[in-house]
Amino acid sequence: MPPVDRPTPPDDLEPELYAVLEALADCDPETIRTVADHVDALAAWAESRSTDDGTPEGVPEDATVSTLEVDGETYRHYQWREGDAIRSKTERA
């Protein structure tokens, strides 16, 4: 069987994540698969946080939520305070 080229991380990752993936390449296959399983579970958790029943990632659960309709599209607008700053995020519902 011919040798397989080592995969390279995507170029558009943040430098810290790129470095983590590069470091994983030096691990044994079992460790890499264990990390992959954890990353899959983490992705499922992150997706579940942005469903209709939860708040999107990065938005505190106690944020104020307003529903807006613009040109027939519905959006959720989240607003919260971080110290003296007011933060917000808008998502299509």
Side-chain angles (χ1 to χ4, degrees):
M1 184 195 256
V4 177
D5 290 336
R6 176 179 161 174
T8 57
D11 291 331
D12 58 348
L13 288 178
E14 296 175 17
E16 296 84 12
L17 292 175
Y18 192 94
V20 167
L21 294 177
E22 283 288 302
L24 275 171
D26 295 330
C27 295
D28 62 273
E30 183 178 334
T31 298
I32 295 170
R33 285 190 178 92
T34 299
V35 171
D37 290 343
H38 175 71
V39 170
D40 282 341
L42 191 58
W45 171 80
E47 287 170 345
S48 75
R49 293 203 61 216
S50 61
T51 65
D52 291 340
D53 297 335
T55 56
E57 186 172 344
V59 175
E61 290 183 19
D62 61 346
T64 301
V65 183
S66 303
T67 303
L68 313 166
E69 189 167 322
V70 180
D71 293 329
E73 294 288 333
T74 303
Y75 298 88
R76 282 189 301 272
H77 179 75
Y78 300 86
Q79 193 169 41
W80 67 96
R81 183 176 289 280
E82 288 180 7
D84 292 337
I86 295 175
R87 305 282 185 218
S88 64
K89 182 173 187 172
T90 302
E91 284 193 336
R92 182 180 284 168

XYZ file of all heavy atoms in Angstrom:
722
model
N 0.830 -1.167 0.000
C 0.000 0.000 0.000
C 0.887 1.246 0.000
O 1.797 1.349 0.818
C -0.902 -0.040 1.238
C -1.874 1.103 1.287
S -2.594 1.274 2.906
C -4.155 0.679 2.854
N 0.650 2.205 -0.918
C 1.503 3.393 -0.962
C 1.265 4.287 0.254
O 0.179 4.283 0.825
C 1.049 4.106 -2.248
C -0.298 3.563 -2.555
C -0.365 2.209 -1.945
N 2.286 5.027 0.656
C 2.137 5.908 1.821
C 1.094 6.991 1.547
O 0.937 7.456 0.426
C 3.522 6.508 2.024
C 4.240 6.302 0.745
C 3.601 5.136 0.052
N 0.363 7.376 2.585
C -0.653 8.422 2.501
C -0.037 9.725 2.997
O 0.660 9.747 4.012
C -1.882 8.047 3.375
C -2.904 9.148 3.362
C -2.472 6.737 2.900
N -0.288 10.812 2.264
C 0.225 12.110 2.692
C -0.467 12.554 3.980
O -1.664 12.330 4.169
C -0.027 13.175 1.616
C 0.825 12.965 0.383
O 1.889 12.318 0.497
O 0.424 13.452 -0.694
N 0.314 13.173 4.849
C -0.229 13.692 6.110
C -1.198 14.822 5.799
O -0.852 15.777 5.098
C 0.916 14.188 6.974
C 0.491 14.822 8.258
C 1.696 15.259 9.043
N 1.330 16.239 10.033
C 2.149 16.714 10.936
N 3.409 16.314 10.955
N 1.747 17.590 11.798
N -2.441 14.770 6.330
C -3.387 15.867 6.093
C -2.903 17.149 6.766
O -2.233 17.097 7.802
C -4.680 15.387 6.745
C -4.471 13.977 7.140
C -3.006 13.698 7.118
N -3.239 18.261 6.172
C -2.896 19.551 6.768
C -4.175 20.248 7.215
O -5.220 20.123 6.575
C -2.146 20.458 5.775
O -2.952 20.620 4.612
C -0.810 19.874 5.391
N -4.112 20.986 8.329
C -5.300 21.700 8.811
C -5.735 22.758 7.796
O -4.919 23.265 7.014
C -4.819 22.370 10.096
C -3.616 21.594 10.516
C -2.985 21.127 9.235
N -7.015 23.110 7.805
C -7.502 24.163 6.911
C -6.767 25.484 7.181
O -6.468 25.814 8.330
C -8.984 24.296 7.264
C -9.337 23.019 7.952
C -8.084 22.527 8.608
N -6.487 26.219 6.140
C -5.744 27.478 6.275
C -6.525 28.570 7.003
O -5.941 29.500 7.534
C -5.333 28.012 4.898
C -4.279 27.144 4.242
O -3.483 26.517 4.972
O -4.256 27.093 3.000
N -7.869 28.476 7.001
C -8.672 29.561 7.550
C -8.937 29.433 9.051
O -9.744 30.174 9.605
C -9.992 29.695 6.796
C -10.824 28.426 6.814
O -10.301 27.367 7.204
O -12.004 28.497 6.427
N -8.247 28.523 9.729
C -8.409 28.382 11.176
C -7.624 29.452 11.914
O -6.616 29.964 11.424
C -7.905 27.020 11.642
C -8.739 25.814 11.289
C -8.055 24.552 11.797
C -10.143 25.916 11.856
N -8.089 29.754 13.135
C -7.319 30.641 14.004
C -5.984 29.964 14.298
O -5.899 28.735 14.364
C -8.076 30.889 15.303
C -9.377 31.624 15.103
C -10.168 31.749 16.388
O -9.604 31.555 17.479
O -11.368 32.049 16.288
N -4.915 30.746 14.475
C -3.587 30.161 14.688
C -3.527 29.152 15.835
O -2.846 28.131 15.728
C -2.701 31.374 14.983
C -3.401 32.521 14.336
C -4.868 32.207 14.417
N -4.269 29.410 16.928
C -4.241 28.495 18.066
C -4.832 27.135 17.683
O -4.292 26.093 18.054
C -5.025 29.068 19.255
C -4.444 30.341 19.828
C -4.889 31.588 19.077
O -5.820 31.523 18.240
O -4.291 32.648 19.321
N -5.933 27.134 16.945
C -6.547 25.872 16.531
C -5.672 25.143 15.523
O -5.554 23.915 15.552
C -7.933 26.122 15.934
C -8.989 26.601 16.925
C -10.278 26.932 16.187
C -9.226 25.559 17.988
N -5.047 25.886 14.637
C -4.129 25.293 13.669
C -3.002 24.568 14.406
O -2.647 23.436 14.085
C -3.572 26.379 12.746
C -2.842 25.842 11.540
C -3.512 25.672 10.338
C -1.491 25.512 11.597
C -2.856 25.176 9.215
C -0.827 25.022 10.488
C -1.514 24.860 9.300
O -0.861 24.364 8.201
N -2.455 25.218 15.439
C -1.361 24.628 16.213
C -1.813 23.364 16.939
O -1.064 22.380 17.002
C -0.813 25.647 17.204
N -3.036 23.366 17.459
C -3.557 22.175 18.136
C -3.645 21.012 17.155
O -3.234 19.887 17.468
C -4.937 22.469 18.770
C -5.636 21.185 19.199
C -4.787 23.421 19.947
N -4.172 21.265 15.965
C -4.290 20.193 14.976
C -2.923 19.694 14.514
O -2.739 18.493 14.286
C -5.133 20.652 13.791
C -6.606 20.917 14.117
C -7.337 21.434 12.886
C -7.278 19.678 14.663
N -1.982 20.584 14.384
C -0.625 20.172 14.028
C -0.032 19.294 15.127
O 0.622 18.287 14.841
C 0.262 21.402 13.800
C 0.046 22.084 12.467
C 0.599 21.263 11.319
O 1.802 20.959 11.306
O -0.196 20.913 10.423
N -0.258 19.653 16.392
C 0.262 18.867 17.515
C -0.403 17.496 17.570
O 0.241 16.494 17.885
C 0.051 19.619 18.826
N -1.696 17.418 17.235
C -2.394 16.134 17.238
C -1.800 15.157 16.231
O -1.867 13.940 16.431
C -3.876 16.332 16.930
C -4.758 16.683 18.107
C -6.148 17.057 17.619
C -4.824 15.536 19.087
N -1.237 15.678 15.181
C -0.660 14.806 14.144
C 0.480 13.951 14.700
O 0.791 12.900 14.142
C -0.167 15.643 12.968
N 1.071 14.361 15.814
C 2.156 13.595 16.430
C 1.649 12.551 17.431
O 2.443 11.804 17.991
C 3.131 14.544 17.130
C 3.848 15.464 16.146
O 4.051 15.044 14.987
O 4.176 16.610 16.526
N 0.328 12.515 17.653
C -0.258 11.572 18.607
C -0.545 10.229 17.947
O -0.599 10.120 16.726
C -1.556 12.142 19.180
S -1.305 13.633 20.161
N -0.770 9.229 18.796
C -1.106 7.900 18.273
C -2.556 7.915 17.758
O -3.356 8.766 18.149
C -0.923 6.841 19.358
C -1.831 7.081 20.542
O -1.431 7.846 21.448
O -2.944 6.516 20.548
N -2.913 6.982 16.858
C -4.250 6.965 16.269
C -5.383 6.895 17.302
O -6.419 7.525 17.129
C -4.247 5.712 15.388
C -2.811 5.507 15.045
C -2.040 5.965 16.254
N -5.190 6.144 18.385
C -6.245 6.032 19.397
C -6.528 7.383 20.052
O -7.689 7.759 20.255
C -5.846 5.008 20.462
C -6.926 4.793 21.507
C -6.528 3.744 22.533
O -5.714 2.855 22.232
O -7.057 3.832 23.647
N -5.485 8.127 20.365
C -5.669 9.453 20.962
C -6.367 10.383 19.981
O -7.280 11.119 20.361
C -4.301 10.042 21.378
O -3.713 9.187 22.358
C -4.445 11.445 21.941
N -5.971 10.342 18.726
C -6.599 11.203 17.718
C -8.078 10.865 17.584
O -8.932 11.750 17.513
C -5.869 11.082 16.366
C -4.441 11.627 16.490
C -6.639 11.830 15.275
C -3.557 11.347 15.293
N -8.422 9.577 17.582
C -9.841 9.175 17.485
C -10.621 9.603 18.730
O -11.780 9.991 18.644
C -9.955 7.677 17.244
C -9.595 7.320 15.818
C -9.932 5.882 15.467
N -9.598 5.637 14.071
C -8.437 5.171 13.650
N -7.490 4.885 14.514
N -8.215 4.986 12.362
N -10.012 9.531 19.908
C -10.662 9.972 21.138
C -10.952 11.468 21.071
O -12.045 11.922 21.424
C -9.785 9.652 22.366
O -9.587 8.232 22.430
C -10.408 10.152 23.645
N -9.979 12.232 20.594
C -10.179 13.679 20.436
C -11.262 13.947 19.390
O -12.124 14.803 19.581
C -8.847 14.380 20.069
C -9.076 15.827 19.681
C -7.859 14.283 21.225
N -11.256 13.196 18.296
C -12.272 13.364 17.251
C -13.669 13.100 17.793
O -14.620 13.831 17.484
C -11.968 12.453 16.062
N -13.813 12.066 18.623
C -15.114 11.781 19.240
C -15.561 12.937 20.121
O -16.734 13.327 20.116
C -15.050 10.491 20.071
C -14.919 9.243 19.216
O -15.195 9.309 17.989
O -14.541 8.194 19.785
N -14.623 13.483 20.880
C -14.957 14.618 21.740
C -15.354 15.831 20.895
O -16.313 16.521 21.211
C -13.790 14.970 22.662
C -14.049 16.200 23.469
N -14.964 16.228 24.491
C -13.553 17.456 23.356
C -15.000 17.450 24.995
N -14.161 18.214 24.331
N -14.636 16.084 19.824
C -14.942 17.223 18.953
C -16.323 17.050 18.310
O -17.087 18.009 18.211
C -13.837 17.418 17.886
C -14.247 18.428 16.835
C -12.546 17.855 18.564
N -16.678 15.832 17.913
C -18.021 15.575 17.383
C -19.083 15.891 18.431
O -20.097 16.523 18.130
C -18.164 14.124 16.931
C -17.527 13.860 15.583
O -17.287 14.827 14.828
O -17.279 12.676 15.287
N -18.863 15.449 19.670
C -19.814 15.729 20.746
C -19.890 17.229 21.018
O -20.976 17.779 21.247
C -19.414 14.972 22.013
N -18.758 17.900 20.958
C -18.722 19.343 21.178
C -19.479 20.089 20.075
O -20.220 21.031 20.337
C -17.264 19.808 21.239
C -16.980 21.213 21.715
C -17.525 21.435 23.111
C -15.479 21.474 21.684
N -19.339 19.638 18.834
C -20.061 20.246 17.719
C -21.559 20.059 17.882
O -22.340 21.000 17.653
C -19.589 19.655 16.392
N -21.987 18.869 18.303
C -23.417 18.622 18.528
C -23.943 19.517 19.632
O -25.043 20.080 19.535
C -23.641 17.153 18.873
N -23.169 19.699 20.690
C -23.560 20.576 21.786
C -23.685 22.020 21.293
O -24.662 22.702 21.590
C -22.539 20.485 22.922
C -22.745 21.500 23.991
C -23.646 21.438 25.014
C -22.043 22.733 24.147
N -23.538 22.567 25.791
C -22.571 23.378 25.277
C -21.023 23.349 23.420
C -22.103 24.614 25.712
C -20.571 24.577 23.851
C -21.106 25.202 24.988
N -22.704 22.484 20.514
C -22.733 23.856 20.000
C -23.946 24.071 19.096
O -24.594 25.118 19.152
C -21.439 24.166 19.250
N -24.251 23.076 18.260
C -25.427 23.185 17.397
C -26.702 23.237 18.217
O -27.624 23.975 17.894
C -25.486 22.011 16.424
C -24.458 22.093 15.336
C -24.349 20.817 14.511
O -24.876 19.761 14.953
O -23.738 20.868 13.441
N -26.753 22.492 19.307
C -27.959 22.471 20.137
C -28.183 23.801 20.838
O -29.307 24.141 21.172
C -27.875 21.348 21.172
O -26.979 21.684 22.214
N -27.131 24.562 21.050
C -27.260 25.852 21.731
C -27.889 26.902 20.835
O -28.368 27.912 21.309
C -25.886 26.346 22.175
C -25.314 25.459 23.246
C -24.301 26.151 24.079
N -24.902 27.278 24.747
C -24.277 28.426 24.965
N -23.060 28.598 24.576
N -24.890 29.412 25.589
N -27.890 26.697 19.518
C -28.435 27.706 18.623
C -29.785 27.278 18.036
O -30.201 27.771 17.017
C -27.443 28.027 17.505
O -27.185 26.885 16.739
N -30.466 26.359 18.711
C -31.802 25.965 18.277
C -32.826 26.927 18.835
O -32.512 27.799 19.653
C -32.141 24.539 18.755
O -32.195 24.548 20.185
C -31.142 23.524 18.256
N -34.077 26.757 18.447
C -35.152 27.628 18.916
C -35.322 27.586 20.427
O -35.861 28.510 21.018
C -36.471 27.246 18.243
C -36.472 27.581 16.767
O -35.657 28.418 16.352
O -37.280 27.001 16.032
N -34.909 26.483 21.061
C -35.098 26.325 22.500
C -33.972 26.932 23.327
O -34.103 27.041 24.536
C -35.219 24.839 22.855
C -36.441 24.208 22.223
O -37.395 24.949 21.932
O -36.427 22.993 22.007
N -32.853 27.313 22.722
C -31.716 27.816 23.474
C -31.193 29.113 22.901
O -31.695 29.639 21.922
N -30.181 29.606 23.542
C -29.549 30.830 23.061
C -28.370 30.465 22.177
O -27.759 29.418 22.349
C -29.063 31.683 24.244
O -28.194 30.896 25.043
C -30.217 32.182 25.079
N -28.026 31.332 21.224
C -26.868 31.042 20.369
C -25.570 31.066 21.167
O -25.511 31.643 22.258
C -26.881 32.186 19.351
C -28.133 32.922 19.551
C -28.685 32.556 20.881
N -24.555 30.456 20.609
C -23.250 30.447 21.259
C -22.769 31.875 21.472
O -22.895 32.726 20.598
C -22.246 29.680 20.405
C -20.915 29.506 21.082
C -19.992 28.579 20.323
O -20.464 27.839 19.448
O -18.795 28.617 20.612
N -22.226 32.129 22.643
C -21.697 33.446 22.956
C -22.715 34.396 23.551
O -22.368 35.499 23.963
N -23.981 33.981 23.596
C -25.036 34.823 24.159
C -25.422 34.253 25.519
O -25.772 33.078 25.622
C -26.278 34.865 23.236
C -27.403 35.644 23.890
C -25.919 35.466 21.892
N -25.372 35.071 26.580
C -25.758 34.554 27.897
C -27.237 34.164 27.922
O -28.062 34.743 27.220
C -25.514 35.746 28.833
C -24.733 36.737 28.066
C -24.924 36.450 26.624
N -27.548 33.150 28.735
C -28.931 32.677 28.814
C -29.883 33.740 29.339
O -31.073 33.691 29.056
C -28.992 31.423 29.684
C -28.352 30.226 29.023
C -28.479 28.966 29.856
O -29.348 28.926 30.748
O -27.712 28.033 29.597
N -29.377 34.715 30.103
C -30.262 35.744 30.659
C -30.377 36.982 29.761
O -30.907 38.007 30.182
C -29.803 36.144 32.061
C -28.403 36.741 32.082
O -27.675 36.618 31.073
O -28.026 37.320 33.117
N -29.937 36.878 28.511
C -30.045 38.003 27.579
C -31.517 38.309 27.289
O -32.367 37.421 27.303
C -29.322 37.684 26.272
N -31.803 39.562 27.028
C -33.141 39.966 26.617
C -33.309 39.603 25.150
O -32.428 39.850 24.331
C -33.328 41.487 26.799
O -33.114 41.802 28.183
C -34.714 41.924 26.391
N -34.467 38.999 24.807
C -34.708 38.543 23.437
C -35.907 39.294 22.874
O -36.966 39.344 23.489
C -34.985 37.031 23.384
C -35.163 36.576 21.940
C -33.878 36.259 24.065
N -35.725 39.885 21.691
C -36.816 40.536 20.965
C -36.959 39.835 19.630
O -35.986 39.410 19.032
C -36.496 42.006 20.704
O -36.236 42.681 21.908
N -38.193 39.710 19.163
C -38.447 39.117 17.853
C -38.813 40.239 16.896
O -39.656 41.088 17.213
C -39.586 38.087 17.926
O -39.227 37.098 18.892
C -39.808 37.412 16.594
N -38.152 40.262 15.759
C -38.370 41.304 14.755
C -38.796 40.663 13.443
O -38.337 39.582 13.106
C -37.075 42.089 14.512
C -36.283 42.582 15.712
C -34.895 43.021 15.281
C -37.020 43.732 16.351
N -39.628 41.340 12.698
C -39.971 40.873 11.362
C -39.587 41.967 10.376
O -40.002 43.124 10.511
C -41.457 40.558 11.237
C -41.768 39.869 9.921
C -43.161 39.271 9.882
O -43.609 38.743 10.895
O -43.766 39.344 8.800
N -38.760 41.601 9.402
C -38.286 42.532 8.386
C -38.487 41.887 7.025
O -37.949 40.801 6.767
C -36.791 42.886 8.597
C -36.311 43.845 7.528
C -36.553 43.450 9.985
N -39.242 42.526 6.173
C -39.506 42.025 4.819
C -39.944 40.556 4.808
O -39.474 39.749 4.004
C -38.273 42.196 3.917
C -37.952 43.656 3.657
O -38.894 44.474 3.632
O -36.759 43.967 3.478
N -40.819 40.201 5.740
C -41.345 38.845 5.786
C -40.434 37.829 6.449
O -40.787 36.667 6.571
N -39.253 38.225 6.870
C -38.317 37.336 7.570
C -38.357 37.648 9.066
O -38.424 38.803 9.460
C -36.884 37.532 7.065
C -36.671 37.127 5.626
C -36.692 35.622 5.441
O -36.366 34.881 6.401
O -37.036 35.187 4.341
N -38.304 36.604 9.886
C -38.324 36.782 11.335
C -36.907 36.649 11.879
O -36.162 35.741 11.490
C -39.246 35.739 11.994
O -40.550 35.860 11.415
C -39.351 35.961 13.489
N -36.539 37.550 12.778
C -35.214 37.558 13.401
C -35.370 37.617 14.910
O -36.332 38.176 15.426
C -34.402 38.778 12.941
C -34.128 38.799 11.468
C -35.027 39.374 10.583
C -32.964 38.239 10.963
C -34.786 39.390 9.216
C -32.708 38.247 9.598
C -33.623 38.833 8.737
O -33.371 38.836 7.397
N -34.399 37.034 15.627
C -34.316 37.170 17.081
C -33.132 38.082 17.382
O -32.032 37.866 16.889
C -34.139 35.808 17.742
C -35.423 35.023 17.835
C -35.260 33.783 18.693
N -34.232 32.884 18.194
C -34.450 31.919 17.304
N -35.637 31.730 16.810
N -33.458 31.156 16.901
N -33.381 39.084 18.200
C -32.348 40.044 18.586
C -32.072 39.842 20.072
O -32.975 39.953 20.899
C -32.815 41.477 18.313
C -31.816 42.507 18.707
N -30.684 42.755 17.973
C -31.773 43.335 19.770
C -29.990 43.715 18.562
N -30.626 44.081 19.652
N -30.832 39.496 20.415
C -30.418 39.268 21.792
C -29.616 40.476 22.258
O -28.790 41.005 21.517
C -29.535 38.024 21.889
C -30.215 36.761 21.422
C -30.213 36.393 20.078
C -30.865 35.940 22.328
C -30.841 35.234 19.655
C -31.491 34.775 21.910
C -31.475 34.434 20.574
O -32.095 33.286 20.161
N -29.869 40.907 23.495
C -29.114 42.027 24.040
C -28.793 41.736 25.505
O -29.640 41.242 26.249
C -29.931 43.315 23.926
C -29.121 44.560 24.168
C -29.906 45.801 23.774
O -31.099 45.897 24.029
N -29.233 46.735 23.149
N -27.537 42.031 25.897
C -27.099 41.790 27.265
C -25.990 42.755 27.618
O -25.441 43.461 26.770
C -26.654 40.343 27.432
C -25.400 39.978 26.671
C -24.124 39.957 27.151
C -25.309 39.612 25.286
N -23.245 39.595 26.154
C -23.953 39.367 25.001
C -26.239 39.463 24.261
C -23.505 39.000 23.739
C -25.788 39.083 23.005
C -24.447 38.852 22.763
N -25.689 42.821 28.887
C -24.656 43.729 29.396
C -23.443 42.925 29.829
O -23.562 41.887 30.469
C -25.208 44.524 30.573
C -24.245 45.538 31.137
C -24.889 46.357 32.242
N -25.890 47.278 31.743
C -25.636 48.467 31.180
N -24.393 48.855 31.030
N -26.609 49.245 30.782
N -22.269 43.404 29.444
C -20.989 42.865 29.914
C -20.240 44.018 30.542
O -19.665 44.850 29.839
C -20.185 42.268 28.755
C -20.724 40.975 28.234
C -19.892 40.406 27.090
O -18.805 40.962 26.779
O -20.333 39.408 26.500
N -20.285 44.083 31.870
C -19.677 45.221 32.561
C -20.428 46.481 32.183
O -21.652 46.560 32.309
N -19.718 47.482 31.673
C -20.346 48.736 31.255
C -20.806 48.709 29.808
O -21.465 49.630 29.344
C -19.361 49.909 31.436
C -19.078 50.203 32.901
O -19.928 49.840 33.742
O -18.012 50.767 33.201
N -20.464 47.658 29.078
C -20.799 47.585 27.650
C -22.111 46.828 27.429
O -22.432 45.886 28.141
C -19.682 46.877 26.891
N -22.860 47.268 26.429
C -24.073 46.573 26.009
C -23.726 45.815 24.735
O -23.211 46.385 23.780
C -25.230 47.558 25.769
C -25.610 48.217 27.088
C -26.422 46.831 25.166
C -26.662 49.291 26.957
N -23.975 44.520 24.736
C -23.681 43.656 23.595
C -24.990 43.201 22.960
O -26.023 43.149 23.617
C -22.895 42.420 24.038
C -21.633 42.731 24.797
C -20.540 43.154 23.859
N -19.331 43.324 24.631
C -18.463 44.276 24.411
N -18.643 45.122 23.438
N -17.398 44.378 25.157
N -24.923 42.823 21.687
C -26.124 42.320 21.023
C -25.740 41.375 19.904
O -24.615 41.388 19.411
C -26.967 43.467 20.476
O -26.271 44.155 19.476
N -26.719 40.544 19.518
C -26.542 39.617 18.398
C -27.917 39.392 17.794
O -28.906 39.255 18.505
C -25.962 38.291 18.891
C -25.702 37.288 17.784
C -24.977 36.064 18.303
C -24.578 35.170 17.157
N -23.722 34.083 17.588
N -27.984 39.363 16.469
C -29.244 39.122 15.762
C -29.074 37.903 14.888
O -28.074 37.755 14.197
C -29.634 40.343 14.932
O -29.742 41.486 15.782
C -30.954 40.130 14.223
N -30.095 37.014 14.923
C -30.086 35.800 14.118
C -31.433 35.627 13.437
O -32.464 36.001 13.995
C -29.869 34.567 14.983
C -28.472 34.354 15.446
C -28.299 32.953 16.007
O -29.274 32.335 16.450
O -27.158 32.479 15.998
N -31.427 35.032 12.256
C -32.676 34.685 11.589
C -33.349 33.569 12.381
O -32.715 32.609 12.772
C -32.412 34.222 10.154
C -33.701 33.904 9.408
C -33.426 33.464 8.009
N -33.085 34.638 7.217
C -32.573 34.587 5.997
N -32.294 33.427 5.445
N -32.314 35.688 5.342
N -34.627 33.717 12.621
C -35.373 32.719 13.418
C -35.748 31.538 12.556
O -35.845 31.578 11.384
C -36.615 33.354 14.010
